[in-house]
Amino acid sequence: MIRTNSVQLTCLPGAIAYRRKSASGGPAIVVLLPDVEQPGIATISKTSGEAIPAANNPEGTYPAAAFAEAIELTAGMPYHRQGKPAAPQAPEPEPDPETEELEGEVEVIVDGADYERIVDAYTDKSGRLSYDLMNKEMVQFAHKSNMVSRMIAAGEDEDAIVRYVVATKFQNASGNKDLTDEQVALIAELIDEVSPRGAFKELRSKVRSMLGEAKRG
């Protein structure tokens, strides 16, 4: 199972935040204050990547800047699966269909060590997950791989080739050759929760180009 650590916010003194999965399956942000019973909850827009605060958050308690900082600080982290850290026990707010608030705990079937090794493999010198670095290495692999060459020659589907490259690189980075397609897809979702396909934009472009060149002969 994988879990995320809570992060400390600077724009809201004393506040901590973490990511959880919403009822619809997308990411959500939870912000907690030690002296406030009701947590602040926001889902993350799949188009803009910005927070969509729940309608029934305590008015004036959780500013937009707090959710924005929480989204930035928890980027690339897996979902939280523990009880509320360092905050009073309190009931969750009533569900809000418009913002798809959280409903219970969600099981995530990926080993934490595997996930951390993959994130570490694509972390740049500043300590941040780098999509540029990840895509660069995957494009280089696609260019050199005999299997990818065979898939290109056979006219395989673009998605199938991208899945093969991502799975192979994730398996190599984690040292776990037994990662399933489902686990690879879940790790990709966790790495880029707003748009998993967007995380591999450059890789997709390279594969598309290779397929085009093969068709032109």
Side-chain angles (χ1 to χ4, degrees):
M1 308 305 169
I2 57 180
R3 303 181 182 191
T4 181
N5 294 321
S6 58
V7 296
Q8 192 80 35
L9 303 184
T10 59
C11 70
L12 189 61
I16 58 175
Y18 59 84
R19 289 196 178 204
R20 281 184 56 181
K21 206 162 198 173
S22 68
S24 66
I29 289 290
V30 179
V31 178
L32 300 167
L33 281 167
D35 55 349
V36 178
E37 289 189 352
Q38 184 171 327
I41 298 175
T43 54
I44 302 176
S45 169
K46 294 181 180 180
T47 55
S48 68
E50 297 178 352
I52 305 174
N56 58 351
N57 281 340
E59 185 175 357
T61 302
Y62 300 103
F67 291 116
E69 183 181 10
I71 289 174
E72 180 181 358
L73 293 179
T74 61
M77 287 184 172
Y79 296 128
H80 190 84
R81 296 189 63 255
Q82 299 172 332
K84 299 177 185 178
Q89 295 298 317
E92 294 283 349
E94 290 298 318
D96 184 338
E98 292 185 0
T99 54
E100 304 173 335
E101 288 185 26
L102 312 178
E103 293 183 2
E105 299 293 333
V106 177
E107 187 109 342
V108 183
I109 314 298
V110 174
D111 184 85
D114 289 339
Y115 178 83
E116 291 298 332
R117 291 188 194 104
I118 290 168
V119 171
D120 287 345
Y122 302 116
T123 296
D124 61 22
K125 293 180 180 179
S126 68
R128 290 183 176 274
L129 178 66
S130 171
Y131 297 131
D132 288 340
L133 175 61
M134 182 171 64
N135 276 271
K136 180 180 179 180
E137 291 195 5
M138 290 187 176
V139 166
Q140 290 175 344
F141 173 79
H143 183 71
K144 297 177 181 180
S145 168
N146 291 330
M147 176 59 75
V148 170
S149 295
R150 289 194 290 270
M151 295 175 78
I152 293 290
E156 291 275 357
D157 179 72
E158 175 187 319
D159 285 343
I161 299 171
V162 170
R163 283 196 300 270
Y164 169 76
V165 173
V166 173
T168 302
K169 293 298 292 181
F170 279 3
Q171 289 169 353
N172 290 343
S174 67
N176 182 2
K177 303 296 184 182
D178 296 323
L179 284 178
T180 65
D181 290 343
E182 182 181 19
Q183 289 172 319
V184 168
L186 182 55
I187 292 170
E189 176 189 346
L190 293 169
I191 285 177
D192 189 351
E193 294 170 325
V194 175
S195 176
R197 290 176 62 90
F200 309 106
K201 183 177 179 180
E202 290 79 7
L203 171 61
R204 286 187 174 278
S205 178
K206 175 63 175 179
V207 170
R208 195 174 302 119
S209 175
M210 294 170 72
L211 284 169
E213 290 176 5
K215 287 181 180 179
R216 290 191 295 269

